[in-house]
Structures are given as structure tokens and as C-alpha cells.
Amino acid sequence: MKKLFALAALVVAAFPLQAKDKPAYEKGVLMQMESSSCGYAEKDNKTLAGEILGTDTQHKKTQQVLCQEYTLQTARITYRIRPKDDKHPALLPIGEMASFRIHKDKLLLRVIESDDKEREYLVISMTPRADVAQN
């Protein structure tokens, strides 16, 4: 009876230890990087003394913000992607192979030749490749 109980306890304890399947990555080539407009950054010229006395003008300095936009080409689809982290985007090497997977609403990309970190990107557009024959 003890052997049966020990065997049952071992089987129950082994269920949570089952390894998950590794995520399936697709392969693609980073074809090009372009700078595209992401919006505008505004900076006010207000001071505390000007606010109290009412002497500040309503001038705002506006500057166009540029974001990196990459073209990732796979065997059948061309993706246009933009880094999700706008403040600290990593510069990716053009012409290198990259592995990626799509998880929920984001594309997780890693470049093996670089630091092999998985980074989040937003998919701007997806277009089927015209130079590949449709099956």
C-alpha cells in the first residue's frame, strides 16, 4: 500500500514539472530601416513668475519626433515593424537574419548576430510578397 501511495505521489508531483514547448520562431531578413514620423513633441515657455504676473506668452516649441521603422522580409510576407519602446530603441543590423514570433498583439524579434535579446515591436503593416508564386 505504501508503494502504491508513493508511486501516486510521484506521478502527481511530476505533472507540474512537465516542460512547456519552446515557442516556434519564424525566420526573416531585416531589409531596411527608415525614419518615419511618430508625432510631435511640445515644449512650453511658461515660467512661474510669468504665470503669476500674466506676462508669459503662449509660444510652444514643437519638434517632429522620428521613429525607426524596419522592413522584415520572410519567405511569404513582408512586415513593417516599429519598436514598442520609443524612448530606448535598439539599432538593428540590416541584412542580418532575425527570428521572430507573434504573441498576442506584438511581434517579438531577436537577432542572433546581435545580442540575441527578444524585443517587442508593433506591426505597422503586413503585405504578401509579389515575387513569390502563390501555391
Side-chain angles (χ1 to χ4, degrees):
M1 185 70 175
K2 284 185 176 182
K3 287 183 182 180
L4 184 61
F5 181 71
L7 182 63
L10 182 65
V11 170
V12 170
F15 280 122
L17 298 177
Q18 288 181 346
K20 288 185 178 179
D21 292 335
K22 289 186 176 180
Y25 284 92
E26 294 183 48
K27 296 208 181 288
V29 178
L30 291 165
M31 299 302 289
Q32 68 181 19
M33 189 269 291
E34 296 177 354
S35 295
S36 61
S37 177
C38 292
Y40 291 92
E42 293 183 350
K43 195 173 196 181
D44 290 337
N45 284 339
K46 294 183 179 180
T47 61
L48 182 61
E51 283 288 320
I52 294 172
L53 298 175
T55 59
D56 268 348
T57 60
Q58 292 297 321
H59 294 296
K60 288 185 179 181
K61 292 181 182 178
T62 59
Q63 184 178 11
Q64 185 177 11
V65 178
L66 298 176
C67 291
Q68 300 167 353
E69 193 170 289
Y70 291 95
T71 303
L72 176 67
Q73 190 174 30
T74 65
R76 296 181 296 150
I77 298 175
T78 302
Y79 295 93
R80 292 184 64 87
I81 58 175
R82 188 177 288 171
K84 191 168 185 178
D85 184 13
D86 291 336
K87 293 186 178 181
H88 305 100
L91 189 62
L92 300 177
I94 301 301
E96 295 292 330
M97 288 292 293
S99 300
F100 71 96
R101 64 187 173 106
I102 296 177
H103 180 70
K104 295 186 180 179
D105 62 341
K106 56 191 172 265
L107 185 135
L108 301 171
L109 180 87
R110 60 182 209 178
V111 180
I112 298 165
E113 296 297 321
S114 182
D115 57 359
D116 204 23
K117 273 188 173 178
E118 194 172 67
R119 293 184 172 85
E120 294 183 0
Y121 287 84
L122 300 172
V123 177
I124 305 301
S125 69
M126 297 169 51
T127 54
R129 287 181 56 184
D131 57 341
V132 177
Q134 297 292 328
N135 291 338

